[in-house]
Amino acid sequence: MIPDYQTLMLPVLRLAAECETRVADVAERIADDLGLTPEERDELLPSGRQRLLHNRIHWAKFYMNKAGLIASPARGRFVATDRGKALLATAPDRIDVALLMREPEFREFYRNESGPTGQDGAIAKPLDTASPRTTPEEQIDAAHAALQAALREELLQRILANSPAFFEQLIVELLVAMGYGGSHKDAAAQLGRSGDGGVDGIVNEDRLGLDRIYVQAKRYAPGNAVGRPDVNGFVGSLVGLGATKGVFVTTSTFSQPARDYVRHLAQRVILIDGQELADLMIEHGVGVRSYRTVEFKRLDEDFFGEE
């Protein structure tokens, strides 16, 4: 299990006191000392842009730097300062934000980065010390995940509140947004009007219509899973039509037997459940709109590098 960033402060400072080092080298040493598995070493933040262990070491280093315990003598490298070595000489059991607050530089940083004060005059904390396992990126990712989950649920509720015709049009909008079906006009002309048993519609896979995808749509309430018989009926229709590709969309879920069934078919059949449907709508901007964009920047190490 990967320790939180405050727990990592002490081992990071110890390694920095041995010699000038880098985050990647420290991560390897700590991972070996803790006996982390390959999966734990490679675990990523929810954003998928950085390894979790590296991220937590970075923030441990960053905050100790603000407290004057660590210095950065060269690009991407850091080392313990005399003050950091003096702290280690006291054999602390733990280094955390509470201990860093003893340093004037860190208190000043803490105050300047905290933002507005509350009604009682207390300074709002830039770090969530009540949840010491989370770095700022992890807090951002967790908030984003919570907002996405709430939006998914709201999308599915609104879909179920509308008519079957609306659901068909939604699928048209989504498939076109994903690059299928040609134009909206072409896709709408086919979807919901094929008349073939077990198939709700046909859309072009590309704008030239070189291949076709057959679509089945089931607007089911949550808890009413689509079972293997429904999927088997759809596949039977594909066989009868000589089709090789199909997409089965539902607002609910698919049973495990239904999912197992499509894995070994000659036809390529994709099952899209309610959660994935909502995710695709969010990704391709169907039924949603951006209301706020927040941009985060990182230090450009190359800019400050000197030959």
Side-chain angles (χ1 to χ4, degrees):
M1 182 176 177
I2 300 174
D4 60 79
Y5 74 92
Q6 295 192 73
T7 301
L8 286 169
M9 287 181 180
L10 181 55
V12 168
L13 185 59
R14 284 173 175 162
L15 292 174
E18 293 180 3
C19 62
E20 187 178 306
T21 187
R22 302 178 307 147
V23 168
D25 297 332
V26 168
E28 194 68 25
R29 289 277 302 275
I30 289 177
D32 290 341
D33 292 343
L34 294 175
L36 297 183
T37 66
E39 292 75 18
E40 289 171 326
R41 294 168 189 249
D42 293 335
E43 183 179 352
L44 300 175
L45 291 168
S47 63
R49 296 183 177 181
Q50 189 180 21
R51 291 180 184 177
L52 180 59
L53 178 59
H54 287 219
N55 177 260
R56 290 181 175 175
I57 290 173
H58 164 77
W59 283 104
K61 172 183 72 72
F62 175 78
Y63 291 124
M64 286 192 291
N65 174 268
K66 292 300 180 183
L69 305 181
I70 278 179
S72 298
R75 184 178 68 181
R77 307 188 70 84
F78 62 97
V79 67
T81 62
D82 290 340
R83 189 185 302 177
K85 293 177 181 179
L87 175 60
L88 290 175
T90 66
D93 294 328
R94 174 181 172 85
I95 299 176
D96 53 22
V97 171
L99 188 147
L100 298 185
M101 286 292 286
R102 300 176 187 175
E103 304 296 336
E105 297 98 320
F106 190 78
R107 288 200 300 273
E108 184 64 20
F109 159 75
Y110 199 73
R111 176 178 295 274
N112 290 340
E113 294 297 313
S114 64
T117 57
Q119 290 182 352
D120 59 355
I123 300 173
K125 296 181 179 180
L127 301 177
D128 184 3
T129 54
S131 301
R133 291 192 56 80
T134 57
T135 66
E137 276 104 338
E138 291 175 271
Q139 294 174 35
I140 291 168
D141 287 342
H144 180 262
L147 290 170
Q148 290 288 93
L151 180 56
R152 279 197 298 267
E153 291 302 315
E154 189 173 5
L155 280 170
L156 292 174
Q157 290 174 8
R158 296 298 293 270
I159 292 170
L160 290 170
N162 280 278
S163 66
F166 175 87
F167 186 39
E168 290 182 357
Q169 183 59 36
L170 183 154
I171 295 175
V172 170
E173 295 284 343
L174 179 58
L175 291 173
V176 172
M178 294 174 66
Y180 300 107
S183 66
H184 282 79
K185 179 180 179 181
D186 294 337
Q190 303 229 37
L191 191 62
R193 292 175 172 80
S194 69
D196 294 308
V199 173
D200 289 332
I202 309 168
V203 295
N204 292 329
E205 185 175 12
D206 55 80
R207 291 187 177 274
L208 296 179
L210 296 176
D211 203 354
R212 289 181 167 183
I213 299 173
Y214 290 76
V215 181
Q216 176 74 291
K218 294 291 185 184
R219 195 174 61 106
Y220 285 175
N224 187 13
V226 175
R228 174 169 172 168
D230 288 323
V231 178
N232 187 63
F234 177 54
V235 173
S237 299
L238 296 181
V239 173
L241 293 166
T244 60
K245 299 176 182 178
V247 176
F248 200 128
V249 186
T250 183
T251 50
S252 61
T253 59
F254 291 94
S255 68
Q256 192 58 50
R259 292 190 177 278
D260 293 338
Y261 172 62
V262 301
R263 290 175 182 167
H264 308 291
L265 295 173
Q267 295 79 12
R268 179 65 171 163
V269 176
I270 303 298
L271 305 181
I272 300 177
D273 63 17
Q275 292 294 305
E276 187 175 0
L277 172 62
D279 284 337
L280 289 171
M281 291 175 65
I282 294 169
E283 179 182 351
H284 295 281
V286 176
V288 298
R289 65 176 62 181
S290 297
Y291 79 98
R292 184 179 182 185
T293 301
V294 180
E295 182 180 28
F296 296 94
K297 297 183 183 292
R298 289 184 181 273
L299 182 71
D300 183 355
E301 294 281 7
D302 291 333
F303 178 84
F304 294 98
E306 294 182 343
E307 295 297 333

